[in-house]
Amino acid sequence: MKTYSLNHIVLLFLCVFFCFLSYGQQKESGFWDRMRYGGNLGGNFSTNFSSVLVAPQAIYQVNDLVGIGAGLNYSYSERDLNRSDDFKSTIAGSSLIAIAQPLDFLQISADFEYLHVNRNFADSSLDNTYWVPALFLGAGYGQGNFVIGARYDVLFSERRSVYQNGIQPFIRVLF
């Protein structure tokens, strides 16, 4: 069995890296032309409840049919009714996104989210902190940069998920 030294592996890695780098420099302007940006902003404010959501996304359009990208997720919620189940919740994480548009009006997507959940209650015995994954498979009707549809979390757990149920409607706008 032939073994490779660390020097050989590093040399091979550097060669491959510089090949991609030189290719990337030739096509650099095309890369930014294929980038699309979007995401979610949300807020809910009432007398005893506040919630804020910020979730930017960036998608690289590989070709006319397929795009891949990443996103960040952050939300903060607080409820204060002077009860023991009042809480402050912070959820932060990231996501990987793949979209495909096999027909002019149909967009299908897969979104993998990995979120860190931190919930602090007025009764500290209820506090919890954990990580939770979500894998959404979705489909929507698209017109230009606008898509409206639904997605389903195949990893949905009623006990741990940060979402009310496994099915969620969505509106996606990418520029």
Side-chain angles (χ1 to χ4, degrees):
M1 182 168 118
K2 187 173 183 176
T3 60
Y4 296 97
S5 72
L6 182 60
N7 291 341
H8 286 109
I9 294 170
V10 170
L11 183 61
L12 177 64
F13 174 77
L14 288 174
C15 288
V16 170
F17 176 75
F18 283 115
C19 288
F20 282 121
L21 184 63
S22 65
Y23 177 77
Q25 288 176 347
Q26 294 168 358
K27 302 288 184 183
E28 187 173 358
S29 64
F31 175 83
W32 293 110
D33 292 338
R34 292 177 173 266
M35 288 300 297
R36 298 169 66 193
Y37 303 96
N40 298 315
L41 289 174
N44 183 0
F45 304 97
S46 67
T47 304
N48 300 318
F49 182 78
S50 311
S51 180
V52 176
L53 167 75
V54 179
Q57 296 178 341
I59 306 287
Y60 176 74
Q61 200 65 41
V62 176
N63 56 38
D64 291 339
L65 301 176
V66 177
I68 57 173
L72 298 173
N73 302 310
Y74 176 81
S75 70
Y76 176 82
S77 299
E78 181 176 347
R79 183 181 72 190
D80 187 7
L81 298 171
N82 294 319
R83 300 183 341 198
S84 64
D85 62 346
D86 288 346
F87 67 89
K88 292 180 182 178
S89 171
T90 304
I91 302 169
S94 60
S95 60
L96 297 174
I97 307 153
I99 58 174
Q101 196 146 355
L103 303 171
D104 286 340
F105 61 89
L106 175 66
Q107 184 182 92
I108 55 176
S109 62
D111 302 81
F112 178 75
E113 292 181 350
Y114 200 56
L115 303 174
H116 182 261
V117 179
N118 183 10
R119 294 181 179 152
N120 296 307
F121 290 86
D123 177 359
S124 62
S125 68
L126 300 173
D127 290 358
N128 56 6
T129 300
Y130 59 93
W131 287 90
V132 62
L135 177 59
F136 292 98
L137 303 178
Y141 173 77
Q143 194 68 34
N145 292 338
F146 178 81
V147 178
I148 186 168
R151 63 187 195 162
Y152 177 71
D153 181 4
V154 298
L155 303 177
F156 179 75
S157 166
E158 199 170 295
R159 193 174 61 92
R160 294 180 48 88
S161 180
V162 296
Y163 301 106
Q164 180 104 18
N165 59 50
I167 299 174
Q168 293 185 341
F170 70 86
I171 296 173
R172 180 177 287 137
V173 181
L174 295 171
F175 300 98

